[in-house]
């Protein structure tokens, strides 16, 4: 039961985190003309909003507190430890560290890399609202877990 709730919560957390990052990638790719990693160099100067949204989304995906991804990973690792699979917890912890390194390399490129152009990236109001709501969800799910866990437990009752 704890494993099902942890996985449900993890999926919810990663839904918000991945959608936020995806929206930033799509918006930036349209403006840059490419989705190559090099295009994110200097993004913080061209669009501080997109860079900050990508930063929060990537930190959540990496599992940094107090974001949703942290709570999701913690619940999954705790449920795994409760089942006695400590070797799997160790593998998960190592993967968290590896992913954090790679995500921070993207952040480094966005904030410290030199942009090919200084032309600002225009973000439409609907896109900005969508990304903002996803970011709000990332923080809310990460900080206030109980109502979400309760709903996930109710949804998992028929499966048990």
């Amino acid at each position: 039961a704890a494993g099902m709730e942890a996985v449900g919560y993890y999926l919810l957390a990663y839904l918000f985190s991945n959608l936020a990052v995806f929206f930033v990638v799509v918006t930036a790719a349209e403006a840059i003309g490419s989705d190559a990693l090099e295009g994110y160099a200097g993004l913080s100067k061209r669009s501080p909003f997109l860079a900050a949204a990508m930063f929060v989304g990537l930190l959540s995906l990496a599992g940094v507190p107090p974001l949703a991804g942290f709570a999701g990973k913690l619940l999954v690792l705790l449920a795994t430890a409760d089942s006695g699979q400590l070797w799997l917890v160790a593998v998960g912890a190592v993967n968290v560290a590896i992913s954090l390194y790679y995500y921070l390399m993207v952040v480094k490129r966005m904030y410290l890399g030199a942009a090919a152009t200084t032309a600002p990236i225009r973000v439409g109001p609907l896109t900005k609202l969508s990304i903002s709501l996803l970011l709000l969800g990332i923080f809310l799910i990460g900080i206030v877990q109980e109502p979400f866990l309760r709903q996930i437990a109710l949804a998992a009752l028929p499966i048990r």
Side-chain angles (χ1 to χ4, degrees), residues 1-13 68-83 89 141-142 144-146 148-150 152:
M4 281 194 292
E5 291 172 21
V7 169
Y9 191 91
Y10 184 88
L11 290 172
L12 178 66
F70 170 75
K73 285 184 182 192
L74 180 64
L75 290 169
V76 168
L77 291 175
L78 288 174
T80 305
D82 284 346
S83 73
V89 173
I141 295 166
V144 186
Q145 296 101 22
E146 197 275 326
F148 300 104
L149 285 169
R150 188 175 342 111
I152 292 166

Side-chain angles (χ1 to χ4, degrees), residues 30-81:
E30 286 177 1
I32 296 167
S34 167
D35 59 359
L37 191 56
E38 293 78 26
Y40 293 94
L43 182 63
S44 65
K45 292 163 189 64
R46 297 185 65 194
S47 177
F49 174 76
L50 289 179
M54 179 73 107
F55 182 57
V56 171
L58 290 176
L59 287 182
S60 182
L61 289 172
V64 174
L67 306 173
F70 170 75
K73 285 184 182 192
L74 180 64
L75 290 169
V76 168
L77 291 175
L78 288 174
T80 305

Side-chain angles (χ1 to χ4, degrees), residues 15-124:
L15 171 71
F16 278 81
S17 302
N18 277 314
L19 280 176
V21 169
F22 179 75
F23 275 36
V24 171
V25 167
V26 168
T27 304
E30 286 177 1
I32 296 167
S34 167
D35 59 359
L37 191 56
E38 293 78 26
Y40 293 94
L43 182 63
S44 65
K45 292 163 189 64
R46 297 185 65 194
S47 177
F49 174 76
L50 289 179
M54 179 73 107
F55 182 57
V56 171
L58 290 176
L59 287 182
S60 182
L61 289 172
V64 174
L67 306 173
F70 170 75
K73 285 184 182 192
L74 180 64
L75 290 169
V76 168
L77 291 175
L78 288 174
T80 305
D82 284 346
S83 73
Q85 303 282 333
L86 296 181
W87 67 272
L88 198 52
V89 173
V91 169
V94 168
N95 280 308
V96 167
I98 291 169
S99 69
L100 182 59
Y101 170 78
Y102 283 103
Y103 291 141
L104 288 178
M105 294 307 290
V106 175
V107 171
K108 177 183 171 191
R109 187 177 300 257
M110 288 188 314
Y111 283 92
L112 301 177
T117 177
T118 58
I121 295 176
R122 185 187 162 298
V123 181

